[in-house]
Amino acid sequence: MPEPRRLLVLRHVPWEGPGLVTTGLQDVPTEDRLVVDEADPELPPAADLAGLVVMGGPMGADDLLEHPGLVAERRILADAVDAEVPVIGICLGMQLLACALGASLHPGHGTEIGLGPVDLLAPDPVLDPLGPRPEVLHWHSDAVDLPAGAALLASSPLTPVQAFRAGSALGLQFHLEVDRSLLGAWLAEPFMQADLAAHGISGMAEAGERVLPSLTPAAIRGLGTFAEAVRARA
């Protein structure tokens, strides 16, 4: 009997894990890797995966010399889309996905940090439960163009491409994976504290307490459709 396919999670810093994305996937074998600084990481063939999740991080999607593992991450993202593997890329992961599909990155396009709304522009099973203009968690300054052939799903005035769908892959510039517990872990990290201080941002915990109790159940429902697709391939 063949071994079940795995869910591969690629993170770029230890504290930015998959959070709500893996709710309901405890029965699927999961490989959680941090390969961003490896020159030639050994990643499995994309077609052998049950699913692929690529998380956020403080580096840029074009920082390929400083973080050579990003080259392999781009490659496996492109291969996963070709193989119709369920994919979610979040923040940096979304930017890597867009670049892997030929779109351009715009470093320093505009800083969005904190809880703020996005406009949902087209139906998608992951985003539909959120409602037409959900308030979500942002933490980025780079932006990407929409990949050719992809469907634009969400936008904000500062960041035109907040979410897109390219076949089996979903890119999210915002952090749908974060609940109150994960946000608390982020806010306890010295790096994240320094980033907030550098941008003069306060009150993140209070905003999370206001928004996340209602957002989290909707996020779990939407992300459950990704979990179903992963389980179908496992």
Side-chain angles (χ1 to χ4, degrees), residues 66-217:
E66 299 90 337
H67 304 286
L70 296 178
V71 176
E73 293 191 30
R74 286 194 188 193
R75 185 165 55 244
I76 197 172
L77 280 162
D79 290 347
V81 174
D82 287 343
E84 300 182 344
V85 175
V87 173
I88 287 186
I90 296 176
C91 200
L92 172 60
M94 179 250 208
Q95 296 163 9
L96 290 166
L97 173 62
C99 292
L101 299 177
S104 295
L105 178 74
H106 301 284
H109 176 84
T111 298
E112 285 183 298
I113 300 177
L115 279 296
V118 294
D119 292 304
L120 300 189
L121 307 175
D124 187 86
V126 173
L127 300 182
D128 288 347
L130 306 183
R133 199 167 190 262
E135 197 169 359
V136 292
L137 177 62
H138 306 266
W139 206 313
H140 72 99
S141 59
D142 295 351
V144 291
D145 291 335
L146 184 69
L152 180 62
L153 301 179
S155 182
S156 68
L158 189 60
T159 306
V161 181
Q162 282 279 2
F164 68 83
R165 168 73 67 179
S168 61
L170 174 66
L172 300 174
Q173 184 59 68
F174 51 90
H175 289 276
L176 196 60
E177 82 280 17
V178 172
D179 59 9
R180 283 184 290 178
S181 174
L182 186 52
L183 179 60
W186 284 17
L187 297 179
E189 284 292 331
F191 179 91
M192 304 296 262
Q193 293 171 356
D195 197 35
L196 291 175
H199 289 95
I201 294 171
S202 60
M204 181 84 81
E206 292 79 6
E209 289 294 325
R210 175 177 57 83
V211 172
L212 293 177
S214 58
L215 178 65
T216 295

Side-chain angles (χ1 to χ4, degrees), residues 17-35:
L20 298 177
V21 174
T22 50
T23 300
L25 286 173
Q26 292 84 355
D27 57 333
V28 175
T30 299
E31 183 179 0
D32 194 318
R33 301 278 301 277
L34 200 159
V35 303

